[in-house]
Amino acid sequence: QVQLVESGGGLVQPGGSLRLSCAASGSINSIGFMMWYRQVPGKERDLVALITSGGTTNYRDSVKGRFTISRDNAKNTAYLEMNSLESEDTAVYYCKTVINNQVYWGQGTQVTVSS
């Protein structure tokens, strides 16, 4: 049994920062890609950032230079550091990862950027 638990969402003013965490637990033999998606009501879930098992990262254009994805393999945890937040970043953020060659999603965490 594998579980993903996200944390770190909340309300922040424009220009502020938040750090999201995604912790995997359970019977884990291997973790591949770790990814962050986001979704607003009525729209598709979009990929925000990904990090490979080797540490290679990739970002959607709108967050480049503001967001940083990282992972701690010893803790089976991925992070998303979000700086210079804008109202357009408001969404539910989901973690997605490949564990033991299976895809798992987290439950989502709300990020609201508003003054």
Side-chain angles (χ1 to χ4, degrees):
Q1 198 77 322
V2 172
Q3 190 175 20
L4 284 182
V5 177
E6 298 153 356
S7 59
L11 172 64
V12 63
Q13 293 186 343
S17 299
L18 282 175
R19 187 193 196 205
L20 306 183
S21 298
C22 172
S25 62
S27 181
I28 297 172
N29 294 316
S30 66
I31 300 181
F33 280 53
M34 300 187 85
M35 295 156 277
W36 287 97
Y37 284 72
R38 67 187 182 189
Q39 188 172 27
V40 297
K43 293 192 175 182
E44 293 185 352
R45 196 170 293 187
D46 292 327
L47 178 63
V48 175
L50 68 85
I51 185 167
T52 69
S53 57
T56 300
T57 60
N58 203 356
Y59 301 89
R60 70 182 298 109
D61 286 345
S62 61
V63 308
K64 285 181 180 177
R66 300 188 298 121
F67 290 12
T68 302
I69 188 171
S70 61
R71 62 191 287 168
D72 184 334
N73 291 328
K75 295 181 178 180
N76 294 329
T77 300
Y79 304 96
L80 187 67
E81 184 77 33
M82 305 185 293
N83 298 313
S84 301
L85 282 160
E86 305 167 352
S87 58
E88 291 77 15
D89 297 317
T90 295
V92 178
Y93 284 71
Y94 296 89
C95 175
K96 174 184 174 183
T97 189
V98 180
I99 299 174
N100 302 338
N101 295 319
Q102 294 188 42
V103 174
Y104 291 88
W105 286 91
Q107 81 282 2
T109 184
Q110 176 70 47
V111 171
T112 302
V113 184
S114 175
S115 55

